[in-house]
Amino acid sequence: MRNATDEDINKEEHLWRYFKTERFIELLESGQLYFSAARQFQDPFEGATAVLPPGAYIDPRYPIEAELGERAFEQLRRLTKISCWHRSTYESDAMWQLYAGSWKGVAIRTTPGRLAQAATTFRLEPHHQGEDLWGGNVKYVDLLRERLRVNSLARFWHKHMAFSWEREFRLGISLTLAEEFGVDVPEQVIKVPFNLDLLVDRIYLGPSLEEADIRLIRRAADQAGLGERVRVSSMLGTPRYT
């Protein structure tokens, strides 16, 4: 895994990814993580170098001829595939709600070091030499005040300050060269193989999972050789008031 930014990566920092149950089962069965095209994300500023204030018509940072460059960058958003992780020492109620079907999914905990060790070569075609995997902490910038001046790939590791609550670590694969050499690149998702035994540190069951789903997840984890790593969410603890 290559570092996408100039910031050192703490290889032991805890990273989390939250899944709906069916997507987690797919991961265990396939050993592949979903990487989505950058244009699929809900963030409208993904890859932006600056943000115009509401109601603004002219921005001195942005010459009019830059429109051609923006159309070209839209293709780069299509060709850059990303996997997002949450940096935290602890599980997050907000992440459970947003990404795990309102507490009914599963979270896995890992570290950047584990991600690097678990990654295997991704190839769009069997004879293809493979693509570089990039990783790094996302930097949050006030794009209303600052215009980014970084290379095209590094843009995807910079986000508008309004999203700083995400505390994101990203994995990314650029497929620009692959398309230039005539490889058919999927418009949206690619599935990237990882060694699950190296990837997964812990598996956490969502606090609102149905018993049938818990049994399904535990069975799949056992079949993947990860059964002993399953834990329940701390949110199932018993509160005391006296």
Side-chain angles (χ1 to χ4, degrees):
M1 182 174 71
R2 302 178 64 181
N3 194 336
T5 74
D6 57 4
E7 179 181 330
D8 289 339
I9 297 172
N10 178 358
K11 294 182 179 180
E12 302 303 319
E13 182 178 29
H14 284 159
L15 303 176
W16 301 73
R17 182 151 182 184
Y18 294 77
F19 299 82
K20 293 183 179 178
T21 298
E22 60 273 16
R23 183 62 60 83
F24 177 71
I25 297 298
E26 287 179 28
L27 169 65
L28 292 187
E29 292 177 346
S30 69
Q32 297 175 320
L33 277 172
Y34 278 59
F35 279 55
S36 300
R39 67 176 4 170
Q40 291 180 258
F41 296 141
Q42 197 171 18
D43 175 6
F45 308 115
E46 188 66 51
T49 57
V51 174
L52 288 170
Y57 293 97
I58 298 175
D59 186 340
R61 298 171 297 173
Y62 251 103
I64 295 175
E65 59 267 22
E67 292 182 8
L68 290 175
E70 294 211 354
R71 286 198 290 271
F73 187 73
E74 180 58 26
Q75 295 308 309
L76 187 61
R77 281 165 37 104
R78 174 178 63 85
L79 294 167
T80 303
K81 313 299 185 180
I82 294 169
S83 174
C84 305
W85 297 75
H86 178 60
R87 303 168 58 200
S88 179
T89 56
Y90 214 71
E91 64 180 296
S92 165
D93 175 61
M95 293 293 163
W96 278 123
Q97 294 187 54
L98 285 170
Y99 300 111
S102 298
W103 304 286
K104 293 182 179 179
V106 186
I108 63 173
R109 191 181 75 182
T110 189
T111 64
R114 281 182 170 271
L115 284 171
Q117 291 176 347
T120 59
T121 303
F122 172 72
R123 295 180 174 88
L124 279 169
E125 297 181 353
H127 62 275
H128 195 227
Q129 71 175 15
E131 304 295 339
D132 288 332
L133 177 67
W134 298 83
N137 300 328
V138 171
K139 295 183 177 182
Y140 298 94
V141 181
D142 185 353
L143 294 178
L144 285 169
R145 297 177 177 272
E146 182 178 343
R147 181 179 178 183
L148 289 179
R149 298 190 182 279
V150 296
N151 66 51
S152 294
L153 185 63
R155 288 195 202 183
F156 297 107
W157 277 264
H158 291 77
K159 297 188 72 171
H160 191 27
M161 187 63 75
F163 295 89
S164 60
W165 61 272
E166 295 175 345
R167 289 185 50 79
E168 191 176 339
F169 181 95
R170 282 190 163 180
L171 297 175
I173 293 176
S174 174
L175 298 175
T176 302
L177 285 177
E179 183 163 92
E180 288 178 1
F181 281 98
V183 179
D184 186 21
V185 176
E187 287 290 313
Q188 297 185 345
V189 169
I190 61 173
K191 298 179 182 180
V192 180
F194 281 79
N195 181 318
L196 296 183
D197 184 55
L198 295 174
L199 173 69
V200 177
D201 175 33
R202 292 286 186 270
I203 298 169
Y204 287 86
L205 302 173
S208 295
L209 276 171
E210 304 282 346
E211 281 299 320
D213 286 333
I214 291 174
R215 290 194 295 271
L216 181 66
I217 292 164
R218 287 189 179 276
R219 186 181 310 119
D222 285 338
Q223 291 173 349
L226 302 173
E228 77 286 354
R229 304 182 201 186
V230 177
R231 303 288 188 274
V232 297
S233 168
S234 66
M235 295 174 65
L236 289 172
T238 302
R240 297 295 300 272
Y241 304 105
T242 59

